[in-house]
Every structure is written in C-alpha cells, then in structure tokens.
Amino acid sequence: MTPADDRARGRSELLRLGFADVDRAQADLAALGEAGGMLLAMLSRTADPDAALSGLVRLADAVPDRSVFLDAVAGDEGTAMRLLCVLGASAALSDHLASHPTHWSELTDPTLGSTRPAAYHLRSRLLTAVGADASAAEPVASLPDAEAVDALRVEYRRLLLRLAARDLAHDLGVDDTAAELSDLAAGTLEAALAVARARVGEAAHDVRLAVIAMGKCGGHELNYVSDVDVIFLHALRDGSSLASSGTGNQGPDETAAGQVAARLAAQLIRVCSDHTAEGTIWQVDAALRPEGKAGALSRTLAGHRGYYERWAEPWEFQALLKARPIAGDLALGRSFVEMVTPMVWSVADRPGFVDAARAMRRRVVDNIPSKELDRQLKLGPGGLRDVEFAVQLLQLVHGRADERIRPPTTLSALDALIQGGYVGRPDGEALHRAYSFLRQLEHRIQLHRLRRTHLLPEDERSLRRLGRSLGFARQPDVQLLEAWEDHRREVSRLHQKLFYRPLLTAVAQFSGDEARLSSDAAVARMAALGYDDPRAALRHLEALTAGVTRTAAIQRALLPAMLQWFAEGADPDAGLFGFRRISDALGTTPWYLSTLRDEGEVAERLAHLLATSRYCTDLLEREPAGVKLLGGDLAPVGPEALTEEMLATAGRQASTDKAVRSIRAVRRRELLRTAAGDVLGLTDVADVGFALTRLTDATLESSLEVAAAAVREARGLDAAPTRIAIVAMGRYGGFELSYGSDADVLFVHDPVEGADAHLAASYAKAVVEEVRRSLGAPGVDPALTVDADLRPEGRQGALVRTLDSYAAYYAKWSKVWEAQALLRADAVVGDLGLRERFTALIDPLRYPASGLGEDDVREVRRIKARVDTERLPRGADPAMHLKLGRGGLADIEWTVQLLQLRHGAELEGLRTPRTLPALEAACEADLLTRTDADALGSAWRLVSRVRNAVTLARGRPADQLPTDPRERRAVAGMLGYPLDHVDEFVNDYLRTTRRARAVVDRVFWE
C-alpha cells in the first residue's frame, strides 16, 4: 500500500471518528506523537473531537513538562477521559487550562467521579483563595484587593473544572450538578463578602449581613452560568460603635447601619460581577428585593416584614418559595425565612392568585422576541419555566395544608407531589424525564462558552457538539432536535394536564396510577383557579364524568383542557355550568363529543365563549346544535343568501307562525355566528354592525313576505292592494346595530292603481302588525322588537302611511329633529320602487339646499342639552355611560349629524347614514382636522365595541360600563386586554372618550 493510500485511509478513519477538519487533526496528532494514537479512540467519544484534540495540543504546549504531561494522560484512562471530555465540550474551560496549565492535575484525582465535595469544603477553598480564615465567624480577605478578586476567579474556575469533568465523563445527574453549582455559588458569595468586608473596613464589623439566595440558587438547582438572585438582610450588631444621630433614647442609628449594609452588599455584587484580567464569575442580581431596583439594597427584618405584609404582590411570594440563607450571618437569614414562610404558604388564599400567576407567565412569553421563541429552552412554550411554573402552582395551592410537598428544588418537589397523590406517577415521571433533559441541554449549551444563554443554537456544528455531548451517536444534530421537540410537546401536554386532570379524581373513578385528590384538596384547587363556588363546580364535574359510558370516558378526556380554558376566562363557574347544560342536551348525540374530542379548535372556542359571554351561552343553550358552527368560518353571511334561506325554510312550513319561527331560528343561528366571531376577536366592530343590520334586513324582508301572504289568504285577496316598504331608522338605518338594539323603522305603503284607499290602508296595517307581532312574540329564539315610534306624530300617529301622507306631513309639520332623524333613514326592505321614491322624498329635507339656519342650529343644540340632562339615568356616572356619557355615542353622532345637516346638500360624501364614512367625508372636506376626525372615530369604535361587549358579557343590553368585576373582566378580555389589565382598559376608555369630548366641545358646541 502506498503512502498516499495510508493517508487516504487515515483521513477516512478520522472522518468516521467524528473529526471535521481532517488536515488539522492529522497535524495535531502528529504533534502529540505516540500519545496521539493512544488517545484517538477517547477523542472520538468527546462532544467535539476537533476541539478536544486542538485543546490538548495547546495544553501540552503550555504545561511545564510536555512529555510528563502526555505520558500521564495517555497512561491513565480516567484522567484522559475527564480531560478530553472537558476540552471537547467547553471552549471556555479549554482556554482556562491553557492559561492555568497546572490545573489539569485536578482531573487526575481517582475519586473525582464518585465523591461530591461538601459545601463546607468548597466554601473553605474559596475563602482560603482570598486569604480569609474559613473558621472565622466573619471571614475577612487578607490578600491585596485586586489579587484577592483575581484569586477568587481562578479558584472558582478550578472547582468548576472538577465539576464539569465529573458531569461530562461520569454522567453526573443533572440535579447533582445543579446542587453542586449552587454550593459553589454559596462559597463564592461568602468569599466575595470577605473581600467586601476588607473594602468597607472597620464599619463592616458593626453590621450583621445575611445573603438570602432566591430562584435557582435558593432551590439548589443553579445553572453553569446564571444570574444569582439574592436578597440582602441586615441587623445592627450588639455593642456596635454606630451611635444614634437623633435625640433622646432612640437607640442605635439604623440609617447608618443600612448605609454600611448597602455598601457591603454593593461591594459583594462588584466582586462577583466585575471584569478583570481573570474574567468574571456571574452577575449577582438583587432585583427581587422589596420594591425591586427602586428599593433599598438591604433592609432589616422589620423592614422586610412591613413590606411583605402590606405591599408585596403574589408573584413575590412565589419567588420566596425558594428563599434560603446562603452566606453571611446564617442565623439572621434563617430568621428571615421563618418570617416569610407563613406568608408564602398563604398566598394562594388571595383572590385571583392563579390568574395573577398565569398573567405573569403570559407576560414572560409575550416578551420573548419572535425570532427566539422556538429556540428558548427556558421561557418558551414547553420549556423549563412551564415545568417550574406548574410545580410551584401545585405547591402553593396544596402546600398550605401539606408540608410534605414544600421542597424548594423542582425535581424534589415533583417527587413529593407524586408521593402525595397530587400528580399521577406516569405523568410525574414523564415530566421528570423531560425536565432533566431540558436542564442537561441547557447546561451543555452554557458550558461551551460559560455564557448565560438559554437559546438552542442554529448552526449544524454546535448542534452536533451538543447532540454528541448528550450521547446521540448517529446524526447527533438530527436526533437532538427530535428529542428537543418531543420533550417540548410532552411538557406542554403535561403542563395542562397536571393542574386540571387530578380534579376529576375527586369526583370520578380512575384506574391505574392517576393522581388522586381528596375532596378538600380539589375544592382548594378549584378556588385557586378562580371558581366562586368550587363545590358546585365539582358537582358539575361529577355529573359530567360519572359512570362507565363512552360519553363519560370522552368527557374525562376532554375536561382537563376544558377546565383550563374555563379558568382562563372571565367567569369559570358560568363556563363549566354552561358546558354541563349543553352536554346534558347533546351528550348522546353522535357528532357532539367526537367533534369536541377530534377538533381541538371547536372545544377551545366553545370553552372561551361559555366562560366569557352569557349572550352566546344563552343562544347555545336554546339551540345546542349551534356548537357545529364553531368548527367553521365565523364570517357573517351575506343578506341575499340569508333571505333566500329564510324564505325557503319558511315556505316548507304548514302555518304562518311556524314559518316565522323558522325565520327566527335562522336569525338565532346567525346571531350566534356573529357573536362568536366578535367574542373570539375575529370580526371588526364595523363588520359586526353591518352583519347585524343585514341580518335584520333579511329577517324583515322574509317576514314581510310571509305576513303579506297570510293576510291575503285570510282576506281572500288574489293580489296585494298596495305596495309596502320598510325604512330603517336610527342605528339600524346607519348599519350600526348592536346585539340589544331594536329595529327602528318607518312603514310606508303606496296603493296600486285603482285600489280602494281604505282597503289598501287596512291591508298595509294588518301586514305590518303581523310582522311586529310574529317577530316580537316570546319563544325559544331571540325576539326582534320592530319599533315605529319615530314615525310622524310618534305613537299617536298612524302606524303606516302612504307616500303622499309622508310628503304632506313633512311639507307642513316637520321639525328640525325629524330632519336629523331622517339622516339615518335607509329604505331597505319591501317594494324597490317605493323605497326609491321615499328616499327621493326625504333627501331635500335631511340635506337642505341652503344648509341649516342659525335658529335650527340652536334648536339642535338645545335638544342635545336636554337629552344630556334628562335622559341620563339617575345616579349614572357621565364618564362611564356608553351612549349619553361624555365622549359617548350620542356626543359623536350628534356632532357628525350637525355637519351633515349643514353641509350635506353640497358635499355628496356626507350623504350617508353611517357615522364613520360621514366622519371621513367631513375630514376630506376640511370640516374636521385629521386629528379631530381620528379622535371621534377612535372613540366611536371603542364605545361601540364596549357596548357590544357589555351585551355579550351580561346576556342583556346595558349602556353603562359594568361595575361587576367579572363582567368588566369579560368586556376587557373581548377588547383584547389580559384579564388582569382591567384598570388599563378603563383608563384607555376614559382617555379616548375625553379626547372625543374635547372635539365635540369645539365642533358641536363651538
């Protein structure tokens, strides 16, 4: 075989062993001589063989005696494996060894893989490194300051090197790795405090300072590189030289003590965080202290107690779940933990605790940059925080009565929850595996550069290195990504299931190893979820899941997800109760449960509607088959298709009443479609008004035809003696109907040529009365009130008039308010020719050629002032009234209508019954500035949305912003606000209407 063949075979072998840069690998192996060949097999088992080999060459060049070093490494398999694993996985530790080559000997210890160093041993070595007496009660560094700071970093890396070797080469459990990192952090903080005492000087001896670890460090589960979260606590030492600066016998000067403590704490933070020639360690973060970064750096025990008793938010107690004294005066630290522990375990009693905790979690996810969301190990969906969040919630809810489940470490707490029956064993073990994998992956990512990161890298080489470090041999990058996605999905699934599925065990029998909650525990959990009547909720669950039928089995599979969605809504009790009633009506229907089970979007939409909107719930309870709608397109259907369907279904009925009921049934279905799209945020407010208006058009058109046919049959008429049209008025005419609106109309008829006038009038009256009666009659479908009070002479006038009668009345008696009302007139139903003639009749009246005289302008303003003072209900808050309040609908619409009356004749764009197009036309004609038009338009849209949302939430119309907290949360939620941001919603509402009112004052009232 030729030398070329040998080289080719050598290159092929190196590629097979995992080397990427074969030329450099051959050169490095040659530089190592015989030792290179002996170590080749071990190099192939490292995370990155190229990095391990080049790191080994660099270290061999740096050690005092190269041959002794290579012989020692090649001759001891344990040493070689530990060293090469570190060099292949951590570029940062490889750099450290190159800078401090004697540290490689730390990895020759044969007990390294089997013995975990005690926390006191780590503390002692770190204190000794800065020249402090580890046996002293309050060690003080004796080395010169800069030397001590660098020595601390070097010793920290030396100990970290030993830990990384044990982790990589000896398969150290992720919980053991995290615990040792936490102990190492504790010793580092103690040594940093010793340096801080030397910096502060004699005053440091007057103050007792305790360092309380929080977060992962407090829970003994620290990462390789992580901010170390702490809280500082101080007390004045007995016999202190600090004297009171006050008068009388006020005692020692607590202000001076606080200043000294703050100096100590600040110096400790700097010692760990500053960059020197030896790099840095990690950031010490005290932002979890009372009042955060705005608060004092250290407080006394009494100061902490006052804050936590009066001001602390629920999330702050959740953070204290892991608090433990870690450095400084440990006795003082234990006093702090004893003080806050009862507060921690009572926080779940606070109203809305779970809502607040979930809101905090949502904010974390929302703040993740979109480009990082799918690579976030810690904060992203299915990440570490989801596991920790679920475990902590279960602890806080049930740990009040069960001290066994209070361990601060996530995996220990999860095990305790399994043993206590709060989490099923299969689910708990699956979550344990997923969490351990994610934490180990996080460790490997951080270990490479010793940088604080939680992002999965994107480049192939990094993914290969990570995959190999975790034991994936074949296509390690592909296997790593598959495992990562599998564990993410499992965490997301279990995150939902852990909190909700065990509730079912309190009311139903399960086989296997499911979690089993006692009744009291289930009640506590339901209360924490926001159920006002948790015992009633459990009765609903029992009714839904009892028995061994297929229906009960499917319900048991559905309810964990449904319960979560209910709990995320404004009214979980209503959601669950509505679901029970619908399930009672449809439970045996073949399509119902299978649809919810197989089409997740339908189940989620249903849960959201039931827990948010009483209006939608009422419609679904009247016709549960409406659930089918939720799986399809919720965009409103056009009026032509609706009219055609209504007439077709009415034509198949045997009587007039049944025909109208069939029309109302179609209307009910379309109301549900529109309302569901509105609640789910799929339909714009202008489109909602348009859809409701067109639905009313179709309802009146088809009902008018049915009523006319019935009257002709009853009177024995072969043909109608008159033509009939219906003119939409008010919000109906403006395409701005809301869910609770009546249909304001005018009825007009025009006798056919040669018809008897009396017969025509009698016929028209009978038809319109039948329309009003049949649509307004009580029934399972929502009634439609057809209101004709805006007709000439009001309720005293004729219900239906001829076109000539309208013309005569308007010519002789019409007032300016009637012209204003006709601005919203839209002849939309009935005979087309009659509709067109009516529109031609009223156009000169509502758009007067000469505009509006000053007397008429004053009259409009006088009427508006009277409406404002007389129509506003007694006791109503003018700032919160949607229709008549400041900047409300009436203010905006009257302002637009005054502009239409004044300028409609000359500006074609103003000749529209719709508010928003008229606003835009006024702006284009320079009657309004763009800023003023936008202020009015924004307020109109917001108030209209709120008005619709109030009806949807309450199930009945109201013109006042609700005061009931649940209804107000539901309204805020429908407008896109998180349920815990209700105050923000109210403030936005007040600000928007206040701006609109300022425009109304300038434009309408001048």
Side-chain angles (χ1 to χ4, degrees), residues 162-247:
R162 293 174 62 91
L163 170 56
R166 296 172 61 234
D167 182 12
L168 293 162
H170 297 285
D171 297 323
L172 194 63
V174 69
D175 48 350
D176 290 329
T177 302
E180 190 169 333
L181 284 165
S182 301
D183 290 340
L184 184 55
T188 302
L189 289 171
E190 193 72 81
L193 182 55
V195 177
R197 289 194 185 101
R199 289 181 176 181
V200 172
E202 289 297 322
H205 299 296
D206 293 321
V207 174
R208 301 164 60 197
L209 184 73
V211 184
I212 310 297
M214 306 283 282
K216 280 188 162 53
C217 188
H220 257 108
E221 47 190 1
L222 199 63
N223 298 325
Y224 272 100
V225 186
S226 177
D227 289 355
V228 175
D229 297 311
V230 299
I231 288 176
F232 294 105
L233 169 73
H234 70 269
L236 199 63
R237 188 178 304 285
D238 293 340
S240 166
S241 62
L242 294 175
S244 172
S245 59
T247 59

Side-chain angles (χ1 to χ4, degrees), residues 548-745:
V548 294
T549 64
R550 175 180 174 275
T551 297
I554 296 177
Q555 292 282 24
R556 287 195 290 268
L558 283 171
L559 276 165
M562 300 291 287
L563 285 171
Q564 177 180 0
W565 293 324
F566 293 147
E568 290 171 352
D571 193 344
D573 296 83
L576 181 55
F577 181 54
F579 182 64
R580 178 185 173 181
R581 292 187 62 175
I582 291 171
S583 294
D584 286 347
L586 288 177
T588 58
T589 306
W591 60 265
Y592 171 62
L593 288 175
S594 60
T595 298
L596 296 184
R597 180 193 60 198
D598 300 334
E599 300 180 30
E601 184 180 46
V602 175
E604 185 172 3
R605 283 179 168 183
L606 176 62
H608 186 70
L609 294 179
L610 295 175
T612 304
S613 171
R614 293 182 186 176
Y615 183 88
C616 289
T617 302
D618 288 345
L619 290 175
L620 284 166
E621 288 179 355
R622 291 175 178 180
E623 183 46 71
V627 171
K628 289 181 179 179
L629 278 180
L630 303 181
D633 185 5
L634 295 177
V637 177
E640 295 81 7
L642 284 177
T643 303
E644 183 178 346
E645 180 184 2
M646 287 177 172
L647 289 173
T649 189
R652 293 192 293 268
Q653 308 306 315
S655 68
T656 301
D657 285 345
K658 289 182 178 179
V660 175
R661 282 200 296 271
S662 71
I663 292 170
R664 289 175 59 173
V666 175
R667 177 173 177 268
R668 178 202 60 231
R669 185 198 68 205
E670 294 307 311
L671 284 174
L672 175 61
R673 187 195 304 276
T674 302
D678 195 355
V679 173
L680 296 170
L682 304 175
T683 310
D684 181 76
V685 63
D687 294 332
V688 169
F690 189 84
L692 293 173
T693 299
R694 287 309 195 190
L695 176 57
T696 303
D697 291 347
T699 303
L700 288 174
E701 187 75 64
S702 51
S703 298
L704 179 64
E705 187 165 328
V706 168
V711 172
R712 288 197 303 272
E713 182 180 357
R715 298 192 174 193
L717 299 174
D718 294 330
T722 188
R723 293 172 284 268
I724 301 175
I726 301 177
V727 181
M729 300 289 286
R731 299 187 68 79
Y732 176 30
F735 290 84
E736 296 160 3
L737 281 177
S738 60
Y739 297 101
S741 297
D742 295 343
D744 291 318
V745 301

